Amino acid sequence: VIAKIVHNLRTWGDDQEVVKRTLVLLATLVQGGMGTPAGPMLLQLDATQELLRSHSAASLPFVSVPGNERYRTTLHLTLCQTLLMSSDDAEASGAFQSFLAPILEALRSLRDADARGELCTEANRRTLIGAC
């Protein structure tokens, strides 16, 4: 199911209805809309670990599609909930740091662009929106 979720987000990123329904499915799985939350169990899956490490526009193009800003926020919220529902310490396991890596990389690129005096571009505006 997680592999299908990732596939939908990679393939149908320009279809807001597919993105919305896919993220609702992910959130329902994590939060346990029909009973016990599956978040801790989902963390054991390789596909979930990959999603936690690779949630940038390079891996999930839907996050850079104009109009998908709220869905990117939903994805980040759901991934954070997945991390925080685990009884394991996400900080100690490195999972939280892995989750933050794409966001920190985007912020570093903005810092470097500012140092070069190239901060005020459309690409950097989108990068900032994507990081927040």
Side-chain angles (χ1 to χ4, degrees):
V1 173
I2 298 296
K4 176 62 174 164
I5 287 170
V6 172
H7 172 77
N8 281 358
L9 295 176
R10 286 184 177 151
T11 307
W12 299 98
D14 56 345
D15 186 327
Q16 289 188 351
E17 188 61 28
V18 172
V19 170
K20 176 183 172 184
R21 288 176 182 251
T22 300
L23 291 174
V24 166
L25 173 61
L26 179 60
T28 301
L29 284 172
V30 169
Q31 298 165 2
M34 302 281 291
T36 306
M41 183 181 67
L42 292 174
L43 272 176
Q44 298 172 9
L45 301 174
D46 290 338
T48 304
Q49 291 297 321
E50 180 61 28
L51 186 57
L52 287 167
R53 285 188 302 271
S54 305
H55 52 84
S56 66
S59 299
L60 299 173
F62 92 92
V63 301
S64 64
V65 173
N68 280 351
E69 292 83 8
R70 76 186 92 166
Y71 301 122
R72 180 186 52 245
T73 303
T74 301
L75 174 67
H76 289 163
L77 173 67
T78 304
L79 293 177
C80 280
Q81 288 174 332
T82 305
L83 276 173
L84 298 175
M85 290 177 86
S86 173
S87 60
D88 296 336
D89 184 2
E91 186 72 33
S93 69
F96 189 69
Q97 197 65 16
S98 294
F99 171 73
L100 286 179
I103 298 167
L104 293 174
E105 181 180 324
L107 293 175
R108 283 186 197 104
S109 75
L110 291 171
R111 179 195 62 200
D112 295 344
D114 185 38
R116 293 187 308 269
E118 302 170 354
L119 186 61
C120 297
T121 66
E122 182 62 24
N124 287 335
R125 183 176 89 69
R126 291 224 171 267
T127 299
L128 180 61
I129 291 169
C132 297

